[in-house]
């Protein structure tokens, strides 16, 4: 049973990374329908609520949670559903998305180091995997890209904030709130927060056509009902550190999709970086399953 749980957790993390890797391609299509970045974060949570609510009621026959759990859910939603995408999208105004991705993916290292500090245990396998992932992601950086300290700081901060989100997930202490019910409340609280932010900053830009609404709905279901839910569950099953390391597969998926959809070339450096990330992910997964 333990081995089956581990395999399930690893598969969830990998599938989450695969879906997240498709996000830039889907987002680019939706931006062409008049939607801006902040509104897209709102829509990806808001449009998924009916499906998450229906799945929750179908599987658990209730959508209620203890009142004392709401503060924890609110903090998790604040870090994962609001602050992280805002900081990352703001960094795009100063540096290109590839460079921002390099800085954002500091979060697996932060999660592993923070986890070791909290547990006071050194896990050599995790450290080696993080170093390999860091080297691999670093090769995605384009030396000719424009560097702006503000953009780098924002992208780096988005990674740190996302690491806090992962650590909060890992330490969530309400086992009765799991699965779709957990995802429903995170999406609900994130929707309220992002709606207030969009209105307060005058950044609410809804789709201008029915095609835009269809694309936004598909995006919401794929990301919030798919990728976010799978990552949350993988964190509960195998821990935040391992789930974070496996999710470094995400930029590789983005690069491969960019090559197929937009005919963007894949250079030698990116190819070597991809192999390093893939090998690091396989190393930690296979070693853990064998040990169990």
């Amino acid at each position: 049973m333990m081995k089956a749980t581990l395999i399930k957790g690893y598969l969830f993390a990998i599938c989450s990374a695969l879906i997240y890797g498709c996000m830039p391609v889907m987002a680019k299509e939706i931006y062409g329908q008049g939607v801006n970045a902040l509104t897209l974060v709102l829509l990806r949570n808001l449009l998924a609520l009916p499906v998450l609510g229906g799945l929750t009621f179908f599987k658990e026959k209730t959508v209620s949670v203890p009142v004392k759990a709401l503060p924890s859910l609110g903090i998790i939603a604040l870090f994962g559903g609001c602050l992280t995408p805002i900081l990352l999208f703001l960094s795009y105004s100063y540096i290109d998305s590839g460079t921002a991705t390099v800085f954002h993916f500091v979060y697996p290292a932060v999660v592993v180091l923070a986890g070791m500090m909290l547990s006071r245990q050194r896990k050599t396998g995790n450290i080696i995997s993080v170093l390999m992932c860091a080297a691999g992601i670093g090769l995605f950086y384009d030396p000719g890209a424009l560097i702006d300290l503000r953009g780098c700081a924002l992208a780096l901060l988005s990674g740190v904030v996302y690491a806090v989100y992962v650590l909060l997930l890992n330490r969530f202490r309400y086992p009765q709130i799991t699965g779709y019910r957990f995802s429903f409340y995170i999406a609900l609280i994130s929707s309220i927060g992002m709606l207030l932010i969009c209105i307060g900053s005058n950044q609410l830009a809804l789709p201008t056509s029915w095609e835009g609404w269809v694309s936004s709905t598909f995006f919401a279901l794929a990301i919030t009902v798919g990728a976010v839910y799978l990552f949350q569950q993988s964190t509960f099953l195998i821990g935040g550190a391992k789930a974070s390391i496996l999710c470094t597969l995400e930029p590789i998926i983005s690069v491969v999709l960019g090559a197929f959809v937009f005919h963007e070339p894949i250079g030698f450096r990116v190819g070597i970086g991809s192999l390093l990330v893939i090998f690091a992910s396989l190393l930690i997964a296979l070693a853990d399953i064998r040990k169990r």
Side-chain angles (χ1 to χ4, degrees), residues 113 181 237:
L113 293 175
R181 183 159 43 147
L237 291 171

Side-chain angles (χ1 to χ4, degrees), residues 172-193:
F172 187 64
R173 292 296 179 262
Y174 294 91
Q176 72 273 30
I177 307 173
T178 57
Y180 291 114
R181 183 159 43 147
F182 180 88
S183 298
F184 173 77
Y185 274 92
I186 297 300
L188 175 62
I189 297 169
S190 297
S191 297
I192 296 171

Side-chain angles (χ1 to χ4, degrees), residues 1 10 12 18-19 42 63 71 122 124 134-135 177 201 203 214 220-221 227 231 233 260:
M1 181 64 69
Y10 286 119
F12 278 5
L18 290 173
I19 299 172
L42 165 65
V63 294
R122 290 185 178 181
T124 306
I177 307 173
S201 62
Q203 292 290 312
V214 171
L221 297 179
F231 180 77
Q233 298 310 304
F260 278 101

Side-chain angles (χ1 to χ4, degrees), residues 4-18 230-231 234 237-238 246 249 285 289:
T5 299
L6 283 174
I7 294 174
K8 185 178 179 181
Y10 286 119
L11 289 176
F12 278 5
I14 292 170
C15 289
S16 174
L18 290 173
L230 289 169
F231 180 77
S234 70
L237 291 171
I238 61 176
L246 288 171
L249 294 168
I289 291 173

Side-chain angles (χ1 to χ4, degrees), residues 35-265:
V35 179
N36 60 28
L38 290 181
T39 304
L40 185 57
V41 178
L42 165 65
L43 292 177
R44 87 174 196 184
N45 289 291
L46 185 63
L47 296 178
L49 284 177
V51 175
L52 285 173
L55 288 170
T56 301
F57 190 78
F58 176 76
K59 291 183 69 69
E60 303 185 39
K61 307 305 180 186
T62 181
V63 294
S64 64
V65 296
V67 176
K68 62 182 180 180
L70 290 176
S72 296
L73 290 169
I75 294 173
I76 291 173
L78 173 66
F79 279 90
C82 297
L83 290 179
T84 297
I86 288 173
L87 291 167
L88 188 58
F89 289 143
L90 283 175
S91 72
Y92 294 160
S93 301
Y94 304 100
I95 55 178
D96 62 64
S97 59
T99 304
T101 299
V102 172
F103 284 98
H104 173 72
F105 269 88
V106 70
Y107 82 84
V110 175
V111 171
V112 170
L113 293 175
M116 288 192 300
M117 290 175 62
L118 292 172
S119 65
R120 296 181 181 179
Q121 293 181 356
R122 290 185 178 181
K123 297 183 178 180
T124 306
N126 283 0
I127 296 174
I128 293 174
S129 296
V130 165
L131 291 175
M132 291 179 65
C133 286
I137 296 295
L139 289 173
F140 281 66
Y141 168 64
D142 180 7
L146 181 64
I147 289 294
D148 187 294
L149 291 179
R150 291 170 297 180
C152 295
L154 287 168
L156 187 63
L157 186 57
S158 74
V160 174
V161 170
Y162 194 72
V164 175
Y165 160 71
V166 175
L167 291 169
L168 289 171
L169 278 179
N170 209 37
R171 299 177 72 84
F172 187 64
R173 292 296 179 262
Y174 294 91
Q176 72 273 30
I177 307 173
T178 57
Y180 291 114
R181 183 159 43 147
F182 180 88
S183 298
F184 173 77
Y185 274 92
I186 297 300
L188 175 62
I189 297 169
S190 297
S191 297
I192 296 171
M194 288 307 304
L195 180 61
L196 294 175
I197 290 170
C198 287
I199 294 175
S201 62
N202 198 28
Q203 292 290 312
L204 185 62
L206 298 174
T208 55
S209 65
W210 68 268
E211 293 97 336
W213 282 106
V214 171
S215 299
S216 298
T217 302
F218 178 79
F219 181 84
L221 297 179
I223 299 302
T224 304
V225 182
V228 173
Y229 168 79
L230 289 169
F231 180 77
Q232 290 168 351
Q233 298 310 304
S234 70
T235 300
F236 294 145
L237 291 171
I238 61 176
K242 298 184 181 75
S244 298
I245 293 171
L246 288 171
C247 280
T248 53
L249 294 168
E250 177 189 331
I252 299 174
I253 305 302
S254 298
V255 168
V256 172
L257 272 179
F260 278 101
V261 178
F262 301 115
H263 306 290
E264 298 171 350

